[in-house]
């Protein structure tokens, strides 16, 4: 074997060895990414909590069958959440429930998913209930929004529409499009 042939064999052997090392490291990195599953920082079952505003008034009460909080994302996930909302005057006026919920503490927003139901606590309230698939509520401004189909029932009326903008403080509600309704006088 001459020197040129030996040099070519050593060159290709080194190239194959280096390529193999890079592939082993790349596969190890991909495996470590796949195996990393974020775990909640704390979990609660049968949760009952009360939140207060800066003036010391009750802002909301929350119950849930299960809750998981993730500190890294500042998100809390709920199963079967029920929120009692206390707008500016400090009296509970609305009961929000859903199959799932998520609280984003950083933005002070609650997003409810699957079978969202908002009930008026006062039976004399003109608007008695609102149903939709999902809804986001800003707990600071008390403004709720949804892009889904909305069904509203009140005293003597039923309204359906697509999309929602609701201010729970002023009790103003706007359906964004495709609004249809039935009015039944007393």
């Amino acid at each position: 074997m001459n020197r040129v042939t030996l040099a070519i064999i050593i060159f290709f052997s080194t190239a194959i060895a280096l390529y193999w090392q890079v592939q082993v490291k790349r596969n190890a990195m991909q495996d470590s990414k796949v195996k990393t599953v974020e775990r909640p920082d704390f979990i609660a079952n049968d949760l009952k909590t009360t939140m207060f505003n800066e003036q010391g008034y009750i802002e909301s009460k929350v119950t849930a069958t299960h809750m998981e909080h993730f500190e890294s994302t500042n998100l809390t996930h709920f199963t079967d959440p029920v929120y009692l909302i206390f707008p500016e005057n400090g009296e509970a006026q609305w009961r929000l429930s859903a199959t799932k919920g998520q609280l984003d503490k950083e933005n002070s927003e609650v997003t409810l998913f699957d079978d969202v139901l908002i009930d008026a606590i006062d039976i004399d309230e003109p608007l008695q209930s609102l149903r939709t698939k999902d809804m986001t509520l800003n707990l600071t401004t008390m403004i709720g929004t949804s892009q889904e189909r909305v069904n509203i029932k009140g005293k003597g009326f039923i309204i359906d529409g697509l999309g929602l903008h609701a201010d729970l403080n002023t009790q103003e509600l706007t359906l964004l499009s495709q609004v249809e309704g039935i009015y039944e006088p007393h």
Side-chain angles (χ1 to χ4, degrees), residues 59-64 78 80-87 92-101 109-121 128-130 132 134-139 142-145 164 166 168:
E59 189 172 76
S60 64
K61 289 185 177 184
V62 180
T63 61
F78 299 98
D80 300 322
V82 176
Y83 278 81
L84 287 177
I85 301 297
F86 295 76
Q93 293 181 340
W94 305 103
R95 180 184 180 274
L96 288 73
S97 62
T99 305
K100 296 181 221 166
E109 286 185 342
V110 173
T111 303
L112 300 171
F113 306 98
D114 300 333
D115 199 25
V116 177
L117 176 62
I118 300 174
D119 285 319
I121 292 175
Q128 286 296 303
S129 70
L130 182 145
T132 187
D134 64 55
M135 179 179 175
T136 300
L137 176 68
N138 184 303
L139 294 173
M142 290 296 186
I143 292 178
T145 58
L164 169 73
L168 298 181

Side-chain angles (χ1 to χ4, degrees), residues 36-52:
T36 303
V37 174
E38 186 177 11
R39 295 181 183 257
D41 293 298
F42 58 89
I43 296 172
N45 290 315
D46 297 323
L47 171 77
K48 291 180 175 120
T49 185
T50 303
M51 290 178 257
F52 297 88

Side-chain angles (χ1 to χ4, degrees), residues 35 45 66 73 76 104 114 127 179:
K35 291 178 186 176
N45 290 315
H66 183 78
T73 58
T76 305
D104 181 346
D114 300 333
L127 185 135
V179 179

Side-chain angles (χ1 to χ4, degrees), residues 153-181:
K153 291 183 181 176
K155 292 190 172 206
F157 67 90
I158 298 172
I159 301 174
D160 287 311
L162 186 63
L164 169 73
H165 182 272
D167 186 333
L168 298 181
N169 282 322
T170 63
Q171 298 185 21
E172 292 178 11
L173 182 115
T174 304
L175 295 174
L176 304 178
S177 67
Q178 300 177 17
V179 179
E180 298 176 358

Side-chain angles (χ1 to χ4, degrees), residues 1-12:
M1 222 192 290
N2 62 22
R3 289 184 186 181
V4 173
T5 305
L6 186 58
I8 291 173
I9 291 173
I10 292 173
F11 174 77
F12 280 111

Side-chain angles (χ1 to χ4, degrees), residues 18-79:
L18 290 173
Y19 177 77
W20 179 76
Q21 279 185 327
V22 168
Q23 291 303 318
V24 167
K25 286 182 182 179
R26 184 178 293 162
N27 289 340
M29 288 174 64
Q30 286 178 349
D31 288 345
S32 68
K33 287 180 185 176
V34 170
K35 291 178 186 176
T36 303
V37 174
E38 186 177 11
R39 295 181 183 257
D41 293 298
F42 58 89
I43 296 172
N45 290 315
D46 297 323
L47 171 77
K48 291 180 175 120
T49 185
T50 303
M51 290 178 257
F52 297 88
N53 63 17
E54 290 127 16
Q55 292 79 29
Y57 294 110
I58 296 175
E59 189 172 76
S60 64
K61 289 185 177 184
V62 180
T63 61
T65 57
H66 183 78
M67 181 274 300
E68 296 179 348
H69 178 72
F70 298 86
E71 194 67 38
S72 63
T73 58
N74 213 10
L75 293 176
T76 305
H77 299 277
F78 299 98
T79 303

